[in-house]
Amino acid sequence: MSLDAASPQTLPDIIVSAVAIIRDRRVLMVTARGRDVVYMPGGKVDAGETLLEAAQRESREEVSAGLRPDSVRELFTVVTQAHGEPEGRMVRMTLFAGEPDAEPRPAAEVSALHWVTTADLHRCPPAGAEVLRRLAASGLID
């Protein structure tokens, strides 16, 4: 057996962009049909897309609203274990904040919208929980 076969394979990070729509010290999160966790509206970055373009596209697909271009700001990037992936597979999620360009409503695979605070940490996968902690530490949500 070669040394390469015995060493663990390094899996590439999953590159994700998401949006933070914040109202009344709560942030919008969603649930997908058949899932029990809440997560940030967003998803994987397609080839040729910027992080912001992916965030806007995914947000429109999931909550029927993007962020108004004049209000968008990049907040931070979370790097943590990817939910439902093998140990060591990381997700790298960049979060953008701003004002929605329409009233958010469930679309595509999203079954419900939830306005959450850190009281909902137990409902989140690792990346979502870290987002809530950082938003609270920044004074944006409770």
Side-chain angles (χ1 to χ4, degrees), residues 35 49 67 72 118 131 142:
R35 308 241 354 237
E49 271 184 323
L67 300 177
V72 175
T118 54
V131 165
D142 290 327

Side-chain angles (χ1 to χ4, degrees), residues 19-102:
V19 300
I21 298 173
I22 299 169
R23 286 189 185 156
D24 302 320
R25 301 192 52 78
R26 297 175 179 273
V27 66
L28 180 69
M29 294 184 90
V30 300
T31 49
R33 290 177 180 86
R35 308 241 354 237
D36 58 353
V37 298
V38 294
Y39 62 92
M40 301 301 299
K44 293 179 185 171
V45 178
D46 288 342
E49 271 184 323
T50 66
L51 293 169
L52 178 56
E53 287 167 345
Q56 292 279 34
R57 175 185 52 76
E58 287 282 351
S59 183
R60 283 187 197 95
E61 289 175 5
E62 294 184 359
V63 299
S64 302
L67 300 177
R68 284 193 354 250
D70 63 332
S71 72
V72 175
R73 67 190 188 283
E74 185 175 328
L75 292 180
F76 48 77
T77 299
V78 169
V79 181
T80 189
Q81 171 65 41
H83 182 67
E85 293 287 332
E87 185 64 33
R89 182 84 191 261
M90 306 299 279
V91 63
R92 180 176 299 275
M93 180 169 62
T94 301
L95 190 69
F96 295 89
E99 294 299 316
D101 58 15

